[in-house]
Amino acid sequence: MRLLAICFIAAFFILSTSFSCLCAGEKFRVMLHTGSFPPYYFSENTPYTGIVKDVFNAFAKETGDTIEFVRCPFNRSQRKFDAGEVDIEPMSNPAWRQSAKVIGVFSKPFAVSDSIVVFNAEKAVSHAYPNELLGRTVGVVRGYVYPKYDPYFADGRIIPHVLENENKLVQLILAGRLDQALMNKDFALYQIKENGLAGKLVVSEPYDSPAMMIRFHPSKKDAVPRFNKAIDKLLKDGTIKKIYDSYH
């Protein structure tokens, strides 16, 4: 009887270990760019986490996976994705990656990213559609794509002024060296609120509102269904909305 009990315990331990291995989540390397892009992410020497980290930590709780955030400049992060050195671009859209070497596999949408024009208050126009900015110089970020504006940049109807990041675009507008720039609405509103820039900067109505999705490297495509399930749950119970609202 004692031998039978020992065998039963051993068999149970083996089965439990095997089951735990089968259920263990994967580790995903998620790109996070250097510097800060509040409220989406902040520099490493601040106590703030940001929307990207908060949302992906919420996803991980649902999927059982582990998230490692990999910081590097934007262009290098895209090369790392192509090479399979990072597994996930956390907020992306297929329209932005049509010319990428590795397009990737996209989840279902979990948010939207409103695209707006930030104006020097003295140069603002009523709307942000390209045909209202003909002949103007417009600030843009190196490496970004702007589906609504790119055709106007290509034929010279609007002149792009390319800089490294949105922070530098804001600096030039405030210095009077640039009248307007294309930007993410959440970033612009955060800058205005935190730095007391109301009256100096004017934000247009959105000219585009692309859906935000998770972009997986093709080697991780099997994870898409469980992340889609997590997205459904966190949208339904309001978790994602609460995260966004906490930074507004």
Side-chain angles (χ1 to χ4, degrees), residues 124-216:
V125 298
S126 56
H127 298 289
Y129 300 109
N131 59 7
E132 294 201 43
L133 300 178
L134 298 179
R136 290 197 180 194
T137 297
V138 175
V140 297
V141 176
R142 188 183 311 280
Y144 285 15
V145 295
Y146 302 91
K148 299 287 187 181
Y149 272 84
D150 283 341
Y152 291 80
F153 296 150
D155 63 17
R157 284 176 289 172
I158 298 175
I159 304 165
H161 184 90
V162 183
L163 290 175
E164 293 301 318
N165 56 54
E166 292 86 348
N167 291 301
K168 292 185 177 180
L169 292 175
V170 170
Q171 290 171 10
L172 258 64
I173 294 173
L174 292 173
R177 296 170 56 192
L178 192 63
D179 292 338
Q180 58 270 312
L182 304 184
M183 215 165 289
N184 170 272
K185 181 180 179 180
D186 290 326
F187 173 83
L189 293 180
Y190 188 89
Q191 293 295 318
I192 292 170
K193 176 183 176 182
E194 292 297 311
N195 296 304
L197 300 177
K200 296 181 180 180
L201 299 180
V202 173
V203 173
S204 75
E205 291 296 317
Y207 67 83
D208 197 14
S209 297
M212 289 294 91
M213 310 172 195
I214 308 170
R215 179 185 174 217
F216 292 85

Side-chain angles (χ1 to χ4, degrees), residues 26 28-29 84 86-87 102 105 216-223:
E26 295 182 69
F28 290 95
R29 297 162 296 182
V86 293
D87 308 307
V102 178
V105 181
F216 292 85
H217 191 272
S219 64
K220 300 296 184 180
K221 65 180 180 180
D222 290 345

Side-chain angles (χ1 to χ4, degrees), residues 53-66:
K53 283 188 174 182
D54 291 350
V55 167
F56 271 79
N57 287 334
F59 287 152
K61 288 181 181 179
E62 297 298 323
T63 65
D65 296 307
T66 301

